[in-house]
Amino acid sequence: MTKLILTITLISFLFISCNRNNNEKQMNDNPLLTEWNTPYGVPPFNLIKTEHYLPAYNEAMKMHNAEIEAIVNSKEEPDFNNTIAALDYSGELLIRVDNVFENVNEANTNPEMQKIAKEVAPLLSAHYDNIWLNDKLFARVKAVNDIKEALNLTTEQQMLLKKVYDNFVRGGANLPEDQKAEFRKINEQLSLLSINFGENLLAETNDFTLVIEDEKDLSGLPESVKAAAAETAKEQGLEGKWVFTLQKPSLIPFITYAENRENREYLFKGYIERGNNNNEHDNKAIVSEIVNLRLRRANMLGYDTHADYVLDNNMAKTPDKVYGLIESLMDAGLVVAKQEVKDLQALIDKEGENFKLEPWDWWYYAEKLKKEKYAFDDETLRPYFVLENVQKGLFTVANKLYGLQLTERTDLPVYHPDVKVYEVKEADGSVIGILYMDFFPRESKRGGAWMTSFRKQYKKDGGNVIPVIQTVFNFTKPTGDKPSLLSFDEASTMFHEFGHALHGLLSNCTYISLSGTAVPRDFVELPSQIMENWAAEPEVLKMYALNYKTGEPIPDELIEKMKNAGHFNQGFITVEFMSAALLDMDWHTITEQKNYDVTEFENASLEKMHMIPEIVVRYRSTYFAHIFSGGYSSGYYSYAWAEVLDADAFEAFKENGIFDQATARAFRENILSMGGTDDPMKLYVQFRGREPKTEAMLKRKGLLKN
Ligand SMILES: [Zn+2]
């Protein structure tokens, strides 16, 4: 018997050790898990194969767990370094693996990678849940937080401690035991309700169609729109007819071009009544339930309202600040929108029609008016925006502002042959980061444009780790003998994403969780949006917008037309948007738990703001997915907030000269290099000398005449 046990033990020992050898071999062969001996330690894309990802994830999560265990089981008293900083430095390998996988999966995916993504998502979310719900870990974090005053922390360290502590507390870690169960239940209910909201909205969007049988009801519509409607009809077994739906790509062209007013009204009303039809897909009760649960959760965490809870983490900080922004923009927008109503009504009257402008007429008559006022379009501009010239112009702007030099490196590994790689150097020649630019669409790339990082900047063991940043676009490709000719919108997008890239490249932070773009949502678009201002400055346009055939710079009259067209319909756009931001805030500043009559609440909210009947709020409550099934509750304002910031910040450059060195230095030192290491409003005030004002944004939109 003893002998048998010994044999079994021996066999299993052999098996384990043999297995371990295999594992080690696998690890050494896996380029994601070994040291990267590439220049600047960029990912060795040439060696990484799809089959390397899953084992690398598993190994990296194991390693991260071991690091967390070491923090939790430390015999030392908890302090900033052995707990908070250690937590920040943990998971380095997992972040490295995840960055490569996520970024390549977005920009150059394949079916195998998509399969891995589905497999990894639940593993990762469970992995991080285990960390944020680890009671022993929280006990150490709390112990450090309790003695923070005595620790003599730097501002950056205070910010990191706050971020880590808040993460636990906002997840309910600090609640008394008897409330934890309720808290978890609320989160569970909220996630289910938001799924229900989304499903109802999807059903309501899909269930409504406008079927056109008589071709003459299509008059006014462009051929491509008719063809798409015929295609939809065919898919629904209605061959020979035309079907329009409540999806924006079908709805918007229809209400913009269809001459048949009754049909415009029918489709538009279908759109604005989604989730409000008193059927099995009605969202009214769900809205009321969601806002009640959110209020209860906020109260449990010690906040008066859900908006207070959300905004505490943002730059705006308090509901009052957000309301202030909404009111001033809404007021300015309404003045212009009322004039736009008059202009559109005049056009209706001139055409001999005998009716009052209604919401379903707005797009149609605005389009007509636009054609009348500005006889130019995108295609007139395109010959002036050659991709390579736009890029050169952008690099020149970066050089004139910050002394940066970008030099192409053709010897570094890339994940697709189209990708270009640049070394980013300071004026003194030292390399501060690496930038990948990936310009053209392909089947393996998702739509849109974005910036991410393969490695963020941080400091460790007295050294600085330089960032490796990626920007991805879907620009018009060169064809035949024509170079890639961008629309002005695409050119602005290149400047925009490069602005995010600068936020990552110029980052000068110690901790990775605060580095670069790790800032609140209502602050993160400042570095990107401000760059778009240079793209549109006449002085800069003259430099880079050169006709691809003649080399002539863009003429002044075209620049003037671009500027004027930018002011068109801004009253409508502002009012439609700000009324939704207002509704979002009103729903999330309630202080009383009760059954809300959604329609009544909405009407009262809009009335308070003097909404005009010709415009419908951009999202009514029952289809406001951003706030009831997305992550934007009490956050819809942030798009407008970012515009206020970028216009106000750029105004500083306009006042002092768009390439003024002192202003550029102040912007770099206070915003671009600071990441999330200090309070964003404090940083902004340090740069601007005061808090942001809305004037510059209003002026840019043509909402403020002077
Ligand atoms: Zn952006």
CSV table of all heavy atoms in Angstrom, one decimal, residues 84 86 94 110 141 205 232 258 272 282 296 299 323 332 509 584 651 660:
chain,number,residue,atom,x,y,z
A,84,ILE,N,-0.5,51.4,-2.1
A,84,ILE,CA,-1.1,52.2,-3.2
A,84,ILE,C,-0.2,52.2,-4.4
A,84,ILE,O,-0.6,51.8,-5.5
A,84,ILE,CB,-1.4,53.7,-2.8
A,84,ILE,CG1,-2.2,53.7,-1.4
A,84,ILE,CG2,-2.1,54.4,-3.8
A,84,ILE,CD1,-3.5,53.0,-1.5
A,86,ALA,N,2.3,50.1,-5.0
A,86,ALA,CA,2.5,48.7,-5.4
A,86,ALA,C,1.3,48.2,-6.2
A,86,ALA,O,1.4,47.5,-7.2
A,86,ALA,CB,2.6,47.8,-4.2
A,94,LEU,N,0.1,42.1,-17.7
A,94,LEU,CA,-1.3,42.0,-18.2
A,94,LEU,C,-1.7,43.2,-19.0
A,94,LEU,O,-2.3,43.1,-20.1
A,94,LEU,CB,-2.3,41.8,-17.0
A,94,LEU,CG,-3.7,41.7,-17.3
A,94,LEU,CD1,-4.0,40.5,-18.2
A,94,LEU,CD2,-4.6,41.5,-16.0
A,110,ASN,N,-9.2,39.4,-37.0
A,110,ASN,CA,-9.5,38.3,-37.8
A,110,ASN,C,-10.5,37.4,-37.0
A,110,ASN,O,-10.6,37.7,-35.8
A,110,ASN,CB,-8.3,37.5,-38.2
A,110,ASN,CG,-7.4,37.0,-37.0
A,110,ASN,OD1,-8.0,36.4,-36.1
A,110,ASN,ND2,-6.2,37.3,-37.1
A,141,VAL,N,-5.9,49.5,1.9
A,141,VAL,CA,-6.1,50.8,1.2
A,141,VAL,C,-6.7,51.8,2.2
A,141,VAL,O,-6.3,52.9,2.3
A,141,VAL,CB,-7.0,50.6,-0.1
A,141,VAL,CG1,-7.4,52.0,-0.6
A,141,VAL,CG2,-6.2,49.8,-1.1
A,205,THR,N,-37.6,50.5,-32.4
A,205,THR,CA,-37.0,51.1,-33.6
A,205,THR,C,-37.3,50.2,-34.8
A,205,THR,O,-37.5,50.7,-35.9
A,205,THR,CB,-35.5,51.2,-33.4
A,205,THR,OG1,-35.3,52.0,-32.2
A,205,THR,CG2,-34.8,51.9,-34.5
A,232,THR,N,-34.0,47.7,-48.6
A,232,THR,CA,-34.7,47.3,-47.3
A,232,THR,C,-36.0,46.6,-47.6
A,232,THR,O,-36.4,45.6,-47.0
A,232,THR,CB,-35.0,48.6,-46.5
A,232,THR,OG1,-33.7,49.3,-46.5
A,232,THR,CG2,-35.4,48.3,-45.1
A,258,ALA,N,-37.4,64.4,-48.5
A,258,ALA,CA,-38.7,64.0,-49.1
A,258,ALA,C,-39.7,65.2,-49.2
A,258,ALA,O,-39.9,65.9,-48.2
A,258,ALA,CB,-39.3,62.9,-48.2
A,272,ILE,N,-40.1,59.8,-32.6
A,272,ILE,CA,-40.1,60.5,-31.3
A,272,ILE,C,-41.1,59.8,-30.3
A,272,ILE,O,-41.1,60.2,-29.1
A,272,ILE,CB,-40.4,62.0,-31.3
A,272,ILE,CG1,-41.8,62.2,-31.9
A,272,ILE,CG2,-39.3,62.8,-32.1
A,272,ILE,CD1,-42.3,63.7,-31.7
A,282,ASP,N,-42.9,49.5,-23.8
A,282,ASP,CA,-42.9,50.8,-23.2
A,282,ASP,C,-41.8,51.0,-22.2
A,282,ASP,O,-41.6,50.2,-21.3
A,282,ASP,CB,-44.2,51.1,-22.6
A,282,ASP,CG,-44.5,52.6,-22.4
A,282,ASP,OD1,-43.9,53.2,-21.5
A,282,ASP,OD2,-45.2,53.2,-23.2
A,296,ARG,N,-31.3,56.1,-4.8
A,296,ARG,CA,-31.1,55.3,-3.6
A,296,ARG,C,-29.6,54.9,-3.4
A,296,ARG,O,-29.0,55.1,-2.3
A,296,ARG,CB,-32.0,54.0,-3.6
A,296,ARG,CG,-31.7,53.0,-2.6
A,296,ARG,CD,-32.2,53.4,-1.2
A,296,ARG,NE,-31.7,52.4,-0.2
A,296,ARG,CZ,-31.2,52.8,1.0
A,296,ARG,NH1,-31.1,54.0,1.4
A,296,ARG,NH2,-30.9,51.8,1.9
A,299,ASN,N,-27.6,58.0,-2.4
A,299,ASN,CA,-27.8,58.3,-1.0
A,299,ASN,C,-27.0,57.3,-0.1
A,299,ASN,O,-26.5,57.8,0.9
A,299,ASN,CB,-29.3,58.1,-0.6
A,299,ASN,CG,-30.2,59.3,-1.2
A,299,ASN,OD1,-31.4,59.2,-1.4
A,299,ASN,ND2,-29.5,60.4,-1.7
A,323,TYR,N,-25.5,73.0,-14.7
A,323,TYR,CA,-26.7,73.8,-15.0
A,323,TYR,C,-26.3,75.2,-15.5
A,323,TYR,O,-27.0,75.7,-16.4
A,323,TYR,CB,-27.6,73.9,-13.7
A,323,TYR,CG,-28.6,72.8,-13.6
A,323,TYR,CD1,-28.5,71.9,-12.5
A,323,TYR,CD2,-29.6,72.6,-14.6
A,323,TYR,CE1,-29.4,70.8,-12.4
A,323,TYR,CE2,-30.5,71.5,-14.4
A,323,TYR,CZ,-30.4,70.7,-13.4
A,323,TYR,OH,-31.3,69.6,-13.2
A,332,ALA,N,-28.4,81.4,-25.3
A,332,ALA,CA,-27.8,81.9,-26.6
A,332,ALA,C,-28.3,81.1,-27.8
A,332,ALA,O,-28.6,81.7,-28.8
A,332,ALA,CB,-26.3,81.7,-26.5
A,509,CYS,N,4.4,61.8,-15.9
A,509,CYS,CA,3.8,61.4,-14.7
A,509,CYS,C,4.5,60.2,-14.1
A,509,CYS,O,5.2,59.5,-14.8
A,509,CYS,CB,2.3,60.9,-14.9
A,509,CYS,SG,1.4,62.2,-15.8
A,584,ASP,N,-31.3,65.2,-19.0
A,584,ASP,CA,-30.4,64.2,-18.3
A,584,ASP,C,-30.2,64.7,-16.8
A,584,ASP,O,-30.3,64.0,-15.9
A,584,ASP,CB,-29.1,64.1,-19.1
A,584,ASP,CG,-28.0,63.4,-18.3
A,584,ASP,OD1,-28.3,62.5,-17.5
A,584,ASP,OD2,-26.8,63.7,-18.6
A,651,GLU,N,-8.6,80.5,-27.4
A,651,GLU,CA,-8.7,82.0,-27.3
A,651,GLU,C,-7.4,82.6,-26.7
A,651,GLU,O,-7.0,83.6,-27.1
A,651,GLU,CB,-9.9,82.4,-26.5
A,651,GLU,CG,-10.4,83.8,-26.7
A,651,GLU,CD,-11.1,84.0,-28.1
A,651,GLU,OE1,-11.2,83.1,-28.9
A,651,GLU,OE2,-11.4,85.2,-28.4
A,660,ASP,N,2.4,81.4,-30.1
A,660,ASP,CA,3.1,82.1,-29.0
A,660,ASP,C,3.8,81.0,-28.1
A,660,ASP,O,3.1,80.1,-27.6
A,660,ASP,CB,2.2,82.9,-28.2
A,660,ASP,CG,2.9,83.6,-27.0
A,660,ASP,OD1,3.8,84.4,-27.3
A,660,ASP,OD2,2.5,83.3,-25.9
